[in-house]
Amino acid sequence: MKKEILLTCLIFAGPSLQCAQAGATNKPNVIIILTDDQGYGDIGAHGHPFLKTPNLDKLHSESVRFTDFHVAPMCSPSRGQLMTGVDAMKTGCTAVCQGRSMVREDIPMLSNYFTDAGYATGIFGKWHMGDSYPYRPQDRGFQEVLSFRAWGLPSLASNWKNNVHPNGGDAYTDPVLEHNGVDTEYHGYSGDIWFTEAMKYMAECKQNSKPFFVYLPNNLAHHPDFVPEKYSSPYAKIGTWKGSDGKAVNVPAPYYGMIANIDENMGRLDDFLANNGLKENTIVLYSSDNGSRSPAATKIWNGGMRGHKTELLDGGHRVPLFFRWPKSGIKHGRDVNELTEMQDIAPTLLELCGIKPANLYPMSGVSLGALLRGESWSHADRKIAIQYRMSCERWVEAAALSEKWRLIDDGKSLYDVANDPHQDNNVAAQFPDVLSGLNHYYDTWHKDAYAEFQKIRYIHLGHSSVPEVILYASDWQGTYLDTFEMMVQGKGMKGYWDVEIENSGDYLVELSRWPFESGKRLTENLNGELEDSATIATQAELDKAVQERKPSNAKRDQGSGLPIAKAQLQIASYNNTIETKPEDKVAAFRLHLDAGKTKLSANFLDKDGRLLCSAYYVKVTRIK
């Protein structure tokens, strides 16, 4: 038995790695720290002229650094790739809302694999891969969950208190978080809470001799710019800085302040691991989900690249990846320059931890084990593709990459990043063979991936252990709508949900224009006024909010009351419209549903039956 276990470990880990033995306490622990919107250049060790990150610099010095590591240029797609090892197009998770932030339920995640291997699994931070069953983190293998809904704490799906701040605070301080499915108030700054609670969990795991897999996806440094002044003030004092184009740039002090908070907490985490005897046998991975969200920061220093979050230039999707595992025997403190991607993390961790799942889903990524060991790697001449957003049709928001080449702009612009890292010179005409080769690779990849992309992902209703499900407009298919501000404006937003009724039975379906916990009436505006007198955001303002992925500030303090007089529910063969009263907080329907897959559409109408908007929140409860 022992010989068989040792042989299996050697096959997975390679001769230069110390193998985990059969005992649970000898298995390596795993911590993945994923920051939100931190660019490659936003680390002192990467050459930043004034940003101070001493703890990240220390981790950099103790790690194997992947210098050509790529993700999607936007949040959810990268997170889905990290957790599955599968391309975003194939997972179906290619955008941040409109039904495209959910990873297909038939694709297992790292949390499933590690749970099955006997690990304690916990998430502490941002999920953003679905907020309704079966897409929540607790549905995807995580045993301990501390998170929040949708893209951020002040989002449409977030708890009411995170958006209205009754005590005059901000969403990042004293937030309401989901703890194992229950909205719970926490005290302190969110950037600190994730690390504090994660360390408590790891301490409990150590006490119980249980190896842990901890996913620590920080909500920093995502907007809005909420950060304690002690972190931002040193950068506010700088004022302006000469940008890469020679022009003065206003220093984004709150953004850099958030990174200072991340750095401080990384120091706390490192001290915790060392003081508790966990550092040697814990794999630590540090990365970001996309390029910097701050155009100003990219002008000050972006690692020599051009581009930022949402862009297909390297600055939008090339991010840091630090790997540290002291006990492994791997030589640390060095760079790995081969082309790698987020999808490689999952197969790498499974190999290093000796996990060989019986239900392993075919992965797009490849293990980086050989690179970590300093051995020859059979994928050195690989090509990869990046594609995201809603359409995912051929060459829409897509790029094809090889070791030194980048192909973008509908397959027409080719850049040699080895000699032109800023991607200033399109050399497609000079290298027709390279252009043709990358286009051929992309076309083959896209044909395969697009077939997977088209598979429908259903939210499940009426499950025996999850009888109540809330549907959020941020997950519907329809109008772009995932910010609280856009929801407050009210009018004209419409969508539907693909749903699967798991069990035939009687159901209660409740429609609301406001979060259920708000207690607000259907017809009132944010301030409780019934008159529809507030100025609604212009279409240009809403379009800008969509383009920049930022909340609109138009009438943030009031919004628009809606003259809701009727509610309509359509699901399967059921189609009914009922009248509502001005004082109603929800519109309720009781009906029988048969098991099966269908669509759910819920709308609010005025007294003449004209559509005002879809219901932004729908609660479905199986009652018998």
Side-chain angles (χ1 to χ4, degrees):
M1 174 78 74
K2 290 182 179 178
K3 289 181 179 179
E4 291 174 353
I5 292 171
L6 179 59
L7 178 59
T8 300
C9 291
L10 289 173
I11 291 172
F12 271 98
S16 64
L17 291 180
Q18 294 186 15
C19 174
Q21 298 297 312
T25 54
N26 289 323
K27 294 180 180 179
N29 303 303
V30 177
I31 305 173
I32 300 175
I33 302 102
L34 187 72
T35 58
D36 202 350
D37 291 358
Q38 180 185 17
Y40 186 90
D42 300 327
I43 295 174
H46 283 175
H48 200 283
F50 59 79
L51 181 62
K52 304 298 183 185
T53 57
N55 295 299
L56 287 175
D57 296 351
K58 179 173 181 286
L59 177 64
H60 175 276
S61 70
E62 297 175 345
S63 296
V64 179
R65 291 94 54 161
F66 290 80
T67 65
D68 197 13
F69 180 74
H70 296 264
V71 297
M74 186 178 280
C75 170
S76 297
S78 295
R79 292 162 192 267
Q81 292 170 160
L82 167 63
M83 282 289 109
T84 64
V86 179
D87 290 343
M89 283 269 286
K90 293 184 177 181
T91 71
C93 177
T94 58
V96 296
C97 62
Q98 293 175 278
R100 279 294 170 189
S101 66
M102 297 178 289
V103 171
R104 279 172 35 208
E105 61 182 286
D106 60 311
I107 303 178
M109 293 192 171
L110 278 173
S111 41
N112 298 115
Y113 296 137
F114 274 86
T115 292
D116 292 345
Y119 276 71
T121 56
I123 175 176
F124 303 86
K126 177 175 175 174
W127 176 244
H128 204 185
M129 287 184 282
D131 297 314
S132 305
Y133 178 81
Y135 301 99
R136 307 166 301 171
Q138 59 265 43
D139 307 323
R140 307 305 296 255
F142 281 104
Q143 302 156 21
E144 180 73 10
V145 175
L146 184 65
S147 189
F148 54 86
R149 295 180 287 276
W151 63 265
L153 284 163
S155 69
L156 176 146
S158 190
N159 185 277
W160 175 253
K161 290 185 178 179
N162 293 332
N163 284 299
V164 297
H165 322 307
N167 297 322
D170 64 67
Y172 285 8
T173 303
D174 297 337
V176 176
L177 306 173
E178 272 197 298
H179 182 221
N180 295 330
V182 178
D183 280 9
T184 306
E185 293 187 8
Y186 281 77
H187 297 290
Y189 186 59
S190 60
D192 302 328
I193 292 170
W194 311 127
F195 283 84
T196 297
E197 297 302 317
M199 288 186 287
K200 289 180 183 178
Y201 182 70
M202 289 184 277
E204 292 175 3
C205 291
K206 181 178 184 294
Q207 185 176 1
N208 296 325
S209 299
K210 188 82 168 176
F212 55 78
F213 171 84
V214 166
Y215 180 36
L216 218 169
N218 207 327
N219 64 308
L220 307 184
H222 199 289
H223 79 270
D225 287 328
F226 297 143
V227 64
E229 188 177 357
K230 68 176 182 177
Y231 298 109
S232 60
S233 61
Y235 302 105
K237 293 175 182 176
I238 296 174
T240 60
W241 195 266
K242 185 178 180 180
S244 56
D245 59 0
K247 298 178 182 179
V249 179
N250 291 324
V251 172
Y255 174 73
Y256 287 144
M258 290 182 182
I259 294 171
N261 177 267
I262 292 169
D263 186 78
E264 180 179 274
N265 278 299
M266 287 300 296
R268 291 176 58 212
L269 175 63
D270 207 44
D271 289 345
F272 165 82
L273 294 173
N275 293 338
N276 286 273
L278 293 169
K279 184 172 181 177
E280 289 297 306
N281 200 29
T282 296
I283 297 171
V284 173
L285 290 176
Y286 183 94
S287 191
S288 176
D289 61 351
N290 46 245
S292 175
R293 57 103 169 170
S294 171
T298 64
K299 291 177 182 177
I300 292 171
W301 175 244
N302 201 22
M305 296 178 289
R306 186 160 60 98
H308 52 74
K309 176 182 178 179
T310 74
E311 294 188 326
L312 287 162
L313 295 161
D314 266 26
H317 51 79
R318 181 177 152 225
V319 298
L321 175 62
F322 302 157
F323 175 97
R324 187 184 72 188
W325 182 15
K327 189 178 179 180
S328 65
I330 290 171
K331 181 182 177 182
H332 294 77
R334 61 186 172 90
D335 292 338
V336 170
N337 300 317
E338 281 81 358
L339 178 67
T340 53
E341 61 179 339
M342 186 67 93
Q343 295 90 307
D344 298 335
I345 288 178
T348 301
L349 289 176
L350 295 182
E351 176 191 337
L352 298 183
C353 295
I355 298 172
K356 191 172 184 179
N359 62 334
L360 182 67
Y361 191 88
M363 293 185 175
S364 310
V366 296
S367 175
L368 305 176
L371 292 176
L372 290 167
R373 295 188 291 270
E375 301 169 356
S376 61
W377 194 49
S378 59
H379 307 283
D381 60 349
R382 75 191 302 199
K383 298 178 179 68
I384 64 175
I386 295 171
Q387 188 156 6
Y388 77 116
R389 294 250 172 120
M390 292 299 300
S391 159
C392 285
E393 294 180 355
R394 184 176 178 273
W395 279 114
V396 176
E397 301 291 352
L401 289 63
S402 64
E403 195 70 29
K404 62 176 285 187
W405 302 103
R406 304 291 186 264
L407 184 64
I408 58 174
D409 299 334
D410 297 332
K412 298 174 182 176
S413 296
L414 181 69
Y415 297 94
D416 174 3
V417 293
N419 297 301
D420 178 24
H422 202 253
Q423 294 175 261
D424 294 317
N425 303 304
N426 179 4
V427 294
Q430 292 97 300
F431 297 93
D433 291 345
V434 175
L435 182 73
S436 175
L438 277 175
N439 266 291
H440 176 73
Y441 165 78
Y442 171 79
D443 285 341
T444 303
W445 172 86
H446 183 267
K447 182 179 179 180
D448 178 51
Y450 193 67
E452 300 292 298
F453 168 82
Q454 291 179 301
K455 293 182 178 180
I456 298 175
R457 286 140 304 111
Y458 295 91
I459 294 173
H460 291 217
L461 306 176
H463 188 273
S464 55
S465 63
V466 190
E468 179 183 292
V469 171
I470 297 178
L471 307 175
Y472 301 93
S474 46
D475 280 335
W476 73 22
Q477 295 188 60
T479 309
Y480 174 82
L481 178 60
D482 70 348
T483 70
F484 185 77
E485 283 79 2
M486 296 172 74
M487 182 275 292
V488 166
Q489 298 308 316
K491 288 186 177 178
M493 310 293 186
K494 190 176 188 300
Y496 69 89
W497 296 268
D498 287 313
V499 297
E500 179 175 352
I501 313 301
E502 289 211 10
N503 291 289
S504 300
D506 294 340
Y507 286 79
L508 172 65
V509 182
E510 299 169 276
L511 283 53
S512 182
R513 181 249 197 276
W514 300 99
F516 290 102
E517 68 272 14
S518 71
K520 293 181 69 62
R521 295 167 291 179
L522 296 176
T523 52
E524 63 182 293
N525 68 5
L526 188 60
N527 281 351
E529 300 165 349
L530 297 183
E531 294 80 9
D532 189 10
S533 59
T535 301
I536 299 174
T538 66
Q539 189 61 48
E541 288 173 314
L542 290 177
D543 288 345
K544 184 178 180 182
V546 171
Q547 182 66 31
E548 297 180 355
R549 295 299 188 265
K550 294 179 180 178
S552 166
N553 291 320
K555 287 290 181 181
R556 173 62 175 88
D557 61 337
Q558 185 170 349
S560 177
L562 298 180
I564 295 171
K566 298 179 181 181
Q568 178 190 47
L569 175 66
Q570 296 172 297
I571 179 171
S573 61
Y574 182 88
N575 185 351
N576 191 24
T577 300
I578 63 174
E579 293 186 353
T580 62
K581 301 180 180 65
E583 64 270 20
D584 287 347
K585 297 177 180 178
V586 300
F589 297 79
R590 285 176 172 80
L591 65 152
H592 180 86
L593 292 172
D594 292 325
K597 296 175 180 177
T598 185
K599 298 182 187 299
L600 187 154
S601 177
N603 302 311
F604 288 126
L605 316 173
D606 68 12
K607 62 183 178 59
D608 296 319
R610 291 174 299 199
L611 176 70
L612 293 169
C613 63
S614 292
Y616 302 141
Y617 307 86
V618 176
K619 184 188 299 182
V620 182
T621 307
R622 184 183 174 210
I623 51 181
K624 74 172 184 177

